[in-house]
Every structure is written in structure tokens, then in C-alpha cells.
Amino acid sequence: MDRLVKPDVEELNLVFIRGQKCSTTFALTNLMHTMSVAVFLDTTNPTRFSFHHALVVLPPLATVSFTLFLSQSSDQPPNIAPNPDTILVHSSIVLAGNTNQENLHLLFSKSGRHIFNDATIPINFVGHDIIDFLLSSPTSKIVNHSFILSRAISFCNNHELNSLLRSAAKTGNLLFFSSLITVGADVNHRDVDRESVMSLAIRSRNVDMVRVMVESNFVIDHSVDRFLHDAACVNGVETMEVLCMNYLDIDINSVNPRGQTALHIAANHGYIEVLEFLVTLGSDSDVVDNKGWTPLHCASSEGHVAAVEFLLNSSVFVKYAVTKEGKTAIALAYENDHMDLYDMLYLRDVLHKAATVNDISGLKKCLAEGAAVNGKDQNGWTALHRAAFKGRVESVKLLLSHGARVDVEDDDGCTPLHRAVDAGHGQVAMLLVAQGARASTKSLIDHMSLKNYHSLVDPLC
């Protein structure tokens, strides 16, 4: 015979609850038909665990329950490693009348063949708080996450699974997230404020988690969900693509309680790729929020130069829009000391207008104040394009003397020389060619009549 008693479990699962002295029970059965058996229980970590009765006599074939206690309450589990603490079950046959505690202690105090080591029972910590602890711990510091997770999950109820799913979404932990869904966590669960798990997943910047939710049949509630706004907050272009491809009824111009579209949010953060994606899909760059702010107001107020430039090119009149307080984008830039926007939002317009009307004094003043001589308008025109198109020789000379590029192209692929020839201004055309503009190009011929081309360009070649 190799043992006297048999446990009813191969391993013991202890549901860990933060701040409580947790306990669990198991049973031992005496395998002897005619003799009593003394049992002594110990653990590999006696300071951590205790028993209600560690030394007991079991009558023949009797089964007795034992309770294991975690000795002290704690905010985190003491040991969740793959090699856990264990219960050590020792037994020995006892004769009748020799069962008082003093004699039993003496019996187990001496090693020998009379002592049987009947079982070694691993102690596993399981439950909601274990998974929550794993989620908040660096993966590198806990060996075999997935094994511990799968065991701990089986002791969670539906409410706990849904709570943990939200925690996994917040931390962006895809392994835990997928495991929780597999065992029954509800992807469509919402909290008391109707916030969805999808919103948390998007804000965690984990696009794979968003894909898992889509594949798990997540349902959008268009009355409260503003997922494009959530994605815009975290520069989530890829997430936006996933959402728009799988939810074709998503409204690209939906607004939050402040009246802001996702474009407002992206502009406020200066996320260029998001702005480009939204505008390409049809987001309205002229829309105003509850304060009368356009996305340009948002970008200007925060000083996002690239975003301001993109939004200016997306709308002809947006730079002149005023808020409910009567403020333009340039006024908001001034208020917040974003002087690098001065040229883009104000000086450029003045420079282009001066070039158009041949206002030399105005041109000099703008350039002295820092206007970018090669700054483009929403059509890609520079001040030199405008002066050339209007035949303003003096303006062309002044702009060239301040570094204006002769071969810069507008949105139609036309240079200032194209515009001068197209409008029939031979003197300006010759001036530009003298400054290095390329005259013999197929695009010039394509842009005007052959007669007009030869009359203006032949003398230059």
C-alpha cells in the first residue's frame, strides 16, 4: 500500500478576493476498512496558509472536510507562478486509545516508515481579482500568463467577465480580451452611462481588438456611439478604416454633445492623416460646433501649422468664418501666441491681393513682415502666379528679387510662365524665362492655342 488516505481533488483552487482572508475546502477519505488513520496537513509555505484543523483522526473509510485559509488579507495575490505553493498530506495508522493531540504530534514529529506522504495538492489562486491583477502587471514579470488566465477565468461569473472585458479593453490586452470573449464575455455590454466596450478598445489604440469586436458581432448604437470621435482622439486612421468598412451606415459628420464632428477632434489634436481620411470620405470642413467653431478654429487655436494649411486648402471661405464670439481663426491664433500662423491666415492673402493689383508698397510691407513669398492659396497659386496672370511686371520683378520660385506648379500643374502665356502677357513671360523658367514644354503647348504659344515663346527660344 502506497497511501492511507485519498483527497477529493488533484489541485485546490482558492478564489482570491482583495482585502479578505480567503478560504477553500477539500476532503480526505480514509482508505482503510478496519483501521483509523491520523492525518497531518502542512504546506510548503506555513506562514502564508493555515488550517482549521491540521491534525485529525479519520475513522475507517470515513471522509472528513478540511478548510485552508490564507493567513493574511492582501491587495495582491501572494503567489501566482506556474510552480505554486502546495498542501502536503501526511498520514499514519493509529491504534485505538492513542489519539490524543499530544500523542499525535509526537507521532508525526519523527520521520520513518510509519509516516505516509499521501498527497501533494497544488494551491491555485483563481477568480476575478487574479485576472485584474494580471492585467495590471507587466507581462514579462509573470510567467505563463495564458495558463494562469485560463484557469482563473473559469471561476468568474458573467458580471465579472464583462467587468474584466472592459479592463482588458482599456489596457489594450488582446490576449486577455480574446480569451474573455471566448468564455462568454458580452461584447455588447455597456456600463451605466451606456459606454461601450468598443469605445474603450478604440481609445486603447489596439486596432486588432476592434477587429475582434467586429467579428464578434458588436452592434453600434448610433444614438450614443461616436467611434470616429474616439479614433480621432488617438490618431486612429487604421481604426477608422476598419469601422467605415464594416459599418457602412456610420455617419462621417455625426456630432458629439458639443456639436463637434470627428474632424473638429482631429483638428484640435493636429492629426493630419485623420483629417485627410475624413475629408476624403466627405467630412464637412465648414461645419461649426455649438460655439460656432470650425475645425480650422480648433487647429488655429492650438497652433497646428500643418493642420491649418490642410484645412485652408479644403475650403475656400473657411478662414473668414467667425465664431459666436466674432473671432476668426487668425484671432484665435493671436490670442494663443501662435505667430507662426500669421502668414498662412493673414499675410498670404494680403500678399496675393497686392500682387494681383500691383500694389508694390503693399508687397514690400508684407514681405518685410515675414510673408512667405512662395506661400500657396487653396488652388496652389503663389503670389507670382497671380502677378504673372495679371501681367504685373513690377510685382513680378519684386517677387523674383525676394526669392519667388519661377517653376513652382499650382494644383493644375501650371507654373507662373503658364499663367502669363495663357493670359497673353509676353513681357512677363520673357522676364520669367530670363530668370530660368522653362519655356519649351509640352504642357505649355497643351495649355494654350498653338498660335498664342509661338507668338509669345518663339522670341524667347
Side-chain angles (χ1 to χ4, degrees), residues 4-27:
L4 302 177
V5 297
K6 179 182 179 181
D8 65 341
V9 293
E10 293 184 357
E11 58 183 14
L12 198 61
N13 295 305
L14 179 59
V15 177
F16 175 79
I17 303 175
R18 286 190 175 98
Q20 293 189 22
K21 295 181 68 174
C22 317
S23 65
T24 188
T25 62
F26 63 101

mmCIF file of all heavy atoms in Angstrom, residues 4-27:
data_model
loop_
_atom_site.group_PDB
_atom_site.id
_atom_site.type_symbol
_atom_site.label_atom_id
_atom_site.label_comp_id
_atom_site.label_asym_id
_atom_site.label_seq_id
_atom_site.Cartn_x
_atom_site.Cartn_y
_atom_site.Cartn_z
ATOM 1 N N LEU A 4 -2.595 5.949 2.610
ATOM 2 C CA LEU A 4 -3.672 5.584 3.528
ATOM 3 C C LEU A 4 -4.941 6.399 3.274
ATOM 4 O O LEU A 4 -6.041 5.940 3.586
ATOM 5 C CB LEU A 4 -3.220 5.788 4.975
ATOM 6 C CG LEU A 4 -1.968 5.011 5.407
ATOM 7 C CD1 LEU A 4 -1.609 5.363 6.844
ATOM 8 C CD2 LEU A 4 -2.180 3.509 5.261
ATOM 9 N N VAL A 5 -4.780 7.602 2.761
ATOM 10 C CA VAL A 5 -5.935 8.470 2.515
ATOM 11 C C VAL A 5 -5.887 8.987 1.081
ATOM 12 O O VAL A 5 -4.826 9.011 0.440
ATOM 13 C CB VAL A 5 -5.990 9.658 3.501
ATOM 14 C CG1 VAL A 5 -6.159 9.173 4.933
ATOM 15 C CG2 VAL A 5 -4.754 10.533 3.351
ATOM 16 N N LYS A 6 -7.060 9.432 0.594
ATOM 17 C CA LYS A 6 -7.161 9.940 -0.771
ATOM 18 C C LYS A 6 -7.893 11.279 -0.772
ATOM 19 O O LYS A 6 -9.000 11.394 -0.229
ATOM 20 C CB LYS A 6 -7.920 8.944 -1.645
ATOM 21 C CG LYS A 6 -8.103 9.411 -3.084
ATOM 22 C CD LYS A 6 -8.914 8.391 -3.882
ATOM 23 C CE LYS A 6 -9.125 8.859 -5.313
ATOM 24 N NZ LYS A 6 -9.923 7.884 -6.102
ATOM 25 N N PRO A 7 -7.308 12.343 -1.381
ATOM 26 C CA PRO A 7 -8.004 13.637 -1.470
ATOM 27 C C PRO A 7 -9.066 13.602 -2.567
ATOM 28 O O PRO A 7 -8.975 12.811 -3.511
ATOM 29 C CB PRO A 7 -6.885 14.612 -1.823
ATOM 30 C CG PRO A 7 -5.876 13.781 -2.536
ATOM 31 C CD PRO A 7 -5.939 12.415 -1.925
ATOM 32 N N ASP A 8 -10.068 14.470 -2.444
ATOM 33 C CA ASP A 8 -11.128 14.524 -3.463
ATOM 34 C C ASP A 8 -10.784 15.464 -4.618
ATOM 35 O O ASP A 8 -11.585 15.638 -5.538
ATOM 36 C CB ASP A 8 -12.461 14.937 -2.827
ATOM 37 C CG ASP A 8 -12.427 16.361 -2.286
ATOM 38 O OD1 ASP A 8 -11.308 16.891 -2.062
ATOM 39 O OD2 ASP A 8 -13.508 16.944 -2.075
ATOM 40 N N VAL A 9 -9.617 16.095 -4.572
ATOM 41 C CA VAL A 9 -9.179 16.996 -5.650
ATOM 42 C C VAL A 9 -7.728 16.715 -5.986
ATOM 43 O O VAL A 9 -6.960 16.249 -5.134
ATOM 44 C CB VAL A 9 -9.337 18.479 -5.249
ATOM 45 C CG1 VAL A 9 -10.802 18.859 -5.093
ATOM 46 C CG2 VAL A 9 -8.543 18.789 -3.988
ATOM 47 N N GLU A 10 -7.362 16.990 -7.220
ATOM 48 C CA GLU A 10 -5.965 16.886 -7.610
ATOM 49 C C GLU A 10 -5.232 18.208 -7.416
ATOM 50 O O GLU A 10 -4.002 18.240 -7.273
ATOM 51 C CB GLU A 10 -5.854 16.451 -9.069
ATOM 52 C CG GLU A 10 -6.337 15.024 -9.307
ATOM 53 C CD GLU A 10 -6.115 14.585 -10.744
ATOM 54 O OE1 GLU A 10 -5.631 15.421 -11.551
ATOM 55 O OE2 GLU A 10 -6.417 13.418 -11.056
ATOM 56 N N GLU A 11 -5.984 19.318 -7.448
ATOM 57 C CA GLU A 11 -5.438 20.633 -7.154
ATOM 58 C C GLU A 11 -6.520 21.459 -6.483
ATOM 59 O O GLU A 11 -7.720 21.221 -6.681
ATOM 60 C CB GLU A 11 -4.937 21.326 -8.422
ATOM 61 C CG GLU A 11 -5.966 21.515 -9.500
ATOM 62 C CD GLU A 11 -5.369 22.154 -10.753
ATOM 63 O OE1 GLU A 11 -4.132 22.192 -10.873
ATOM 64 O OE2 GLU A 11 -6.148 22.643 -11.585
ATOM 65 N N LEU A 12 -6.106 22.418 -5.690
ATOM 66 C CA LEU A 12 -7.054 23.210 -4.904
ATOM 67 C C LEU A 12 -7.098 24.623 -5.460
ATOM 68 O O LEU A 12 -6.057 25.278 -5.618
ATOM 69 C CB LEU A 12 -6.609 23.234 -3.439
ATOM 70 C CG LEU A 12 -7.676 23.630 -2.413
ATOM 71 C CD1 LEU A 12 -8.840 22.659 -2.435
ATOM 72 C CD2 LEU A 12 -7.052 23.677 -1.023
ATOM 73 N N ASN A 13 -8.290 25.097 -5.788
ATOM 74 C CA ASN A 13 -8.465 26.437 -6.339
ATOM 75 C C ASN A 13 -9.013 27.364 -5.264
ATOM 76 O O ASN A 13 -10.109 27.155 -4.743
ATOM 77 C CB ASN A 13 -9.409 26.385 -7.535
ATOM 78 C CG ASN A 13 -8.821 25.590 -8.683
ATOM 79 O OD1 ASN A 13 -7.726 25.886 -9.142
ATOM 80 N ND2 ASN A 13 -9.528 24.565 -9.132
ATOM 81 N N LEU A 14 -8.239 28.366 -4.947
ATOM 82 C CA LEU A 14 -8.602 29.320 -3.906
ATOM 83 C C LEU A 14 -8.991 30.639 -4.566
ATOM 84 O O LEU A 14 -8.164 31.291 -5.210
ATOM 85 C CB LEU A 14 -7.420 29.529 -2.955
ATOM 86 C CG LEU A 14 -7.593 30.520 -1.809
ATOM 87 C CD1 LEU A 14 -8.746 30.119 -0.905
ATOM 88 C CD2 LEU A 14 -6.302 30.624 -1.002
ATOM 89 N N VAL A 15 -10.270 31.016 -4.457
ATOM 90 C CA VAL A 15 -10.742 32.269 -5.050
ATOM 91 C C VAL A 15 -10.186 33.430 -4.233
ATOM 92 O O VAL A 15 -10.541 33.602 -3.069
ATOM 93 C CB VAL A 15 -12.278 32.320 -5.093
ATOM 94 C CG1 VAL A 15 -12.739 33.665 -5.645
ATOM 95 C CG2 VAL A 15 -12.823 31.186 -5.953
ATOM 96 N N PHE A 16 -9.303 34.192 -4.860
ATOM 97 C CA PHE A 16 -8.660 35.312 -4.171
ATOM 98 C C PHE A 16 -9.538 36.550 -4.281
ATOM 99 O O PHE A 16 -9.972 36.935 -5.368
ATOM 100 C CB PHE A 16 -7.287 35.591 -4.780
ATOM 101 C CG PHE A 16 -6.618 36.805 -4.217
ATOM 102 C CD1 PHE A 16 -5.987 36.751 -2.984
ATOM 103 C CD2 PHE A 16 -6.630 38.004 -4.908
ATOM 104 C CE1 PHE A 16 -5.365 37.867 -2.455
ATOM 105 C CE2 PHE A 16 -6.022 39.139 -4.393
ATOM 106 C CZ PHE A 16 -5.389 39.074 -3.160
ATOM 107 N N ILE A 17 -9.778 37.189 -3.134
ATOM 108 C CA ILE A 17 -10.541 38.436 -3.090
ATOM 109 C C ILE A 17 -9.711 39.457 -2.335
ATOM 110 O O ILE A 17 -9.306 39.213 -1.189
ATOM 111 C CB ILE A 17 -11.908 38.248 -2.399
ATOM 112 C CG1 ILE A 17 -12.709 37.146 -3.116
ATOM 113 C CG2 ILE A 17 -12.692 39.558 -2.384
ATOM 114 C CD1 ILE A 17 -14.006 36.808 -2.429
ATOM 115 N N ARG A 18 -9.450 40.572 -2.970
ATOM 116 C CA ARG A 18 -8.604 41.593 -2.353
ATOM 117 C C ARG A 18 -9.151 42.015 -0.986
ATOM 118 O O ARG A 18 -10.346 42.275 -0.836
ATOM 119 C CB ARG A 18 -8.512 42.823 -3.252
ATOM 120 C CG ARG A 18 -7.646 42.645 -4.485
ATOM 121 C CD ARG A 18 -7.419 43.972 -5.168
ATOM 122 N NE ARG A 18 -6.503 43.871 -6.296
ATOM 123 C CZ ARG A 18 -6.871 43.770 -7.557
ATOM 124 N NH1 ARG A 18 -8.158 43.740 -7.854
ATOM 125 N NH2 ARG A 18 -5.972 43.689 -8.513
ATOM 126 N N GLY A 19 -8.237 42.095 -0.030
ATOM 127 C CA GLY A 19 -8.601 42.598 1.288
ATOM 128 C C GLY A 19 -9.346 41.615 2.166
ATOM 129 O O GLY A 19 -9.820 41.996 3.241
ATOM 130 N N GLN A 20 -9.477 40.367 1.744
ATOM 131 C CA GLN A 20 -10.200 39.372 2.548
ATOM 132 C C GLN A 20 -9.294 38.184 2.856
ATOM 133 O O GLN A 20 -8.397 37.844 2.093
ATOM 134 C CB GLN A 20 -11.450 38.881 1.810
ATOM 135 C CG GLN A 20 -12.513 39.940 1.629
ATOM 136 C CD GLN A 20 -13.812 39.358 1.084
ATOM 137 O OE1 GLN A 20 -14.065 38.160 1.217
ATOM 138 N NE2 GLN A 20 -14.609 40.213 0.487
ATOM 139 N N LYS A 21 -9.573 37.540 4.023
ATOM 140 C CA LYS A 21 -8.866 36.302 4.375
ATOM 141 C C LYS A 21 -9.615 35.154 3.709
ATOM 142 O O LYS A 21 -10.584 34.620 4.229
ATOM 143 C CB LYS A 21 -8.815 36.133 5.890
ATOM 144 C CG LYS A 21 -7.984 37.208 6.583
ATOM 145 C CD LYS A 21 -7.932 37.007 8.089
ATOM 146 C CE LYS A 21 -7.132 35.765 8.449
ATOM 147 N NZ LYS A 21 -6.940 35.632 9.919
ATOM 148 N N CYS A 22 -9.170 34.792 2.537
ATOM 149 C CA CYS A 22 -9.873 33.826 1.698
ATOM 150 C C CYS A 22 -9.677 32.404 2.228
ATOM 151 O O CYS A 22 -8.706 32.092 2.918
ATOM 152 C CB CYS A 22 -9.361 33.912 0.275
ATOM 153 S SG CYS A 22 -9.147 35.603 -0.315
ATOM 154 N N SER A 23 -10.620 31.542 1.857
ATOM 155 C CA SER A 23 -10.524 30.139 2.273
ATOM 156 C C SER A 23 -11.169 29.241 1.232
ATOM 157 O O SER A 23 -11.937 29.700 0.381
ATOM 158 C CB SER A 23 -11.207 29.940 3.623
ATOM 159 O OG SER A 23 -12.602 30.190 3.521
ATOM 160 N N THR A 24 -10.845 27.968 1.307
ATOM 161 C CA THR A 24 -11.461 26.965 0.448
ATOM 162 C C THR A 24 -11.415 25.619 1.159
ATOM 163 O O THR A 24 -10.650 25.439 2.110
ATOM 164 C CB THR A 24 -10.739 26.887 -0.917
ATOM 165 O OG1 THR A 24 -11.471 26.035 -1.787
ATOM 166 C CG2 THR A 24 -9.333 26.339 -0.760
ATOM 167 N N THR A 25 -12.243 24.691 0.717
ATOM 168 C CA THR A 25 -12.333 23.390 1.400
ATOM 169 C C THR A 25 -11.998 22.242 0.450
ATOM 170 O O THR A 25 -12.110 22.376 -0.773
ATOM 171 C CB THR A 25 -13.740 23.169 1.971
ATOM 172 O OG1 THR A 25 -14.684 23.158 0.900
ATOM 173 C CG2 THR A 25 -14.104 24.250 2.976
ATOM 174 N N PHE A 26 -11.570 21.138 1.050
ATOM 175 C CA PHE A 26 -11.354 19.897 0.316
ATOM 176 C C PHE A 26 -11.587 18.755 1.302
ATOM 177 O O PHE A 26 -11.749 18.984 2.513
ATOM 178 C CB PHE A 26 -9.938 19.836 -0.263
ATOM 179 C CG PHE A 26 -8.846 19.831 0.760
ATOM 180 C CD1 PHE A 26 -8.207 18.652 1.119
ATOM 181 C CD2 PHE A 26 -8.450 21.007 1.401
ATOM 182 C CE1 PHE A 26 -7.200 18.637 2.060
ATOM 183 C CE2 PHE A 26 -7.450 20.996 2.354
ATOM 184 C CZ PHE A 26 -6.821 19.811 2.693
ATOM 185 N N ALA A 27 -11.628 17.542 0.803
ATOM 186 C CA ALA A 27 -11.929 16.395 1.670
ATOM 187 C C ALA A 27 -10.891 15.297 1.490
ATOM 188 O O ALA A 27 -10.298 15.140 0.417
ATOM 189 C CB ALA A 27 -13.318 15.849 1.358
#
